[in-house]
Amino acid sequence: MERMIEVENLNVRFGGFQAVKRVSFSVEKGEAFGLVGESGSGKSTVLRALAGLNGAWDGLVRINGRAEGVKRSKAFYRDVQMVFQDPYGSLHPRQTVDRALSEPLAIHGIKDADSRIARAMSEVALPMSVRYRYPHQLSGGQRQRVAIARALIAGPKILLLDEPTSALDVSIQAEVLNLLGDLRASLGLTYIMVGHNLAAVSHLCEQITVMQSGEIVESLSAADLRERRIETSYTRHLRNLSDDIEDPFANSAHFN
């Protein structure tokens, strides 16, 4: 298998505080990989370092075969996109959906914007009637679909998902997770998803790494989790806090 993401001995410091300590993992092409932990575990800090949003790190980060430094190239930001936790906060309140989707195309010099926007909206099942609406005129689920469409529109290979459903109602969480699963399959994407809910993360991700106090404490598969093949008390604690982990969204309609 081809490795799309390699992280070796990643450390992140904020002044005298070390938020991430010697974190190492790899993600294969087309895989969905989950980083799970409670608030303050360091999971989102790892994601932001990978995304080029935090420069206070050392170690090795290799993306799609390229070793990355603190500063990232334009090509990196075309290959790697991030979807944030709060779709309302990540969209400019004075920009329409059309403007939000047009900007990445302009930044990367991609032409034929009209057809690309229409295709991106179709991929995330957004009706064309919302194209010229503002974020406050959309539901939470629609706003997150706009954020996903914006991340996808320039044709990235990797999506970094920072708790992409935690701000949504449970029924909408299921739709968005199923949508992300469908997009990964149809577009051949590689995902890293950060979350605190093991049920939601295991619904999308085959491999899961658990973090506590900036360190990795356990790595396991979604199948291990379902079968309770768990080694640490902390992972067991997170499992107990999560929803029905056997099939958390069994009664939800599949989203296409």
Side-chain angles (χ1 to χ4, degrees):
M1 291 289 289
E2 179 184 348
R3 287 185 175 178
M4 285 295 282
I5 301 167
E6 295 175 80
V7 177
E8 294 180 14
N9 293 318
L10 178 69
N11 300 288
V12 182
R13 294 177 179 84
F14 299 109
F17 173 67
Q18 187 167 352
V20 173
K21 307 165 188 173
R22 301 174 302 280
V23 164
S24 299
F25 61 86
S26 62
V27 186
E28 306 293 340
K29 182 178 181 179
E31 184 180 22
F33 178 88
L35 278 174
V36 182
E38 293 176 300
S39 179
S41 64
K43 60 190 187 301
S44 292
T45 303
V46 170
L47 204 68
R48 293 179 71 84
L50 294 182
L53 299 175
N54 177 7
W57 61 271
D58 61 72
L60 173 68
V61 172
R62 185 175 288 114
I63 305 290
N64 196 18
R66 297 189 305 262
E68 298 290 348
V70 171
K71 293 185 177 180
R72 307 295 165 87
S73 67
K74 195 172 180 180
F76 170 86
Y77 289 110
R78 184 159 179 177
D79 282 349
V80 181
Q81 284 289 311
M82 191 161 174
V83 177
F84 295 91
Q85 178 178 1
D86 177 11
Y88 194 73
S90 69
L91 298 173
H92 195 294
R94 295 183 181 178
Q95 286 187 355
T96 63
V97 172
D98 179 78
R99 177 74 182 275
L101 298 181
S102 297
E103 275 196 340
L105 299 176
I107 289 168
H108 293 288
I110 300 170
K111 298 181 179 179
D112 199 16
D114 198 61
S115 65
R116 283 209 174 234
I117 290 170
R119 184 174 71 192
M121 292 181 68
S122 174
E123 285 175 340
V124 300
L126 276 172
M128 291 302 292
S129 60
V130 308
R131 180 169 174 176
Y132 295 100
R133 292 182 187 173
Y134 293 88
H136 73 271
Q137 297 173 308
L138 307 176
S139 69
Q142 286 175 327
R143 286 194 290 265
Q144 194 60 300
R145 287 177 226 168
V146 172
I148 294 168
R150 182 180 61 183
L152 290 174
I153 199 163
K157 298 178 175 69
I158 296 167
L159 287 191
L160 304 177
L161 308 168
D162 189 6
E163 304 211 39
T165 62
S166 64
L168 306 174
D169 292 340
V170 173
S171 60
I172 306 301
Q173 287 182 26
E175 290 184 355
V176 171
L177 287 172
N178 285 330
L179 167 64
L180 287 166
D182 290 344
L183 289 168
R184 180 169 69 103
S186 63
L187 301 176
L189 297 166
T190 302
Y191 289 166
I192 294 183
M193 178 179 174
V194 158
H196 64 276
N197 187 307
L198 272 172
V201 175
S202 65
H203 184 71
L204 185 64
C205 301
E206 299 95 348
Q207 298 295 322
I208 298 162
T209 286
V210 180
M211 292 189 64
Q212 182 183 25
S213 302
E215 298 181 277
I216 291 174
V217 297
E218 185 167 0
S219 296
L220 68 169
S221 69
D224 289 334
L225 200 58
R226 285 190 290 271
E227 297 300 322
R228 297 181 180 272
R229 294 191 292 266
I230 297 171
E231 294 182 359
T232 67
S233 59
Y234 181 67
T235 303
R236 200 168 291 111
H237 164 70
L238 290 180
R239 191 192 192 286
N240 292 337
L241 290 177
S242 297
D243 302 324
D244 179 9
I245 214 145
E246 305 304 326
D247 192 352
F249 305 114
N251 296 320
S252 67
H254 196 65
F255 190 78
N256 293 301

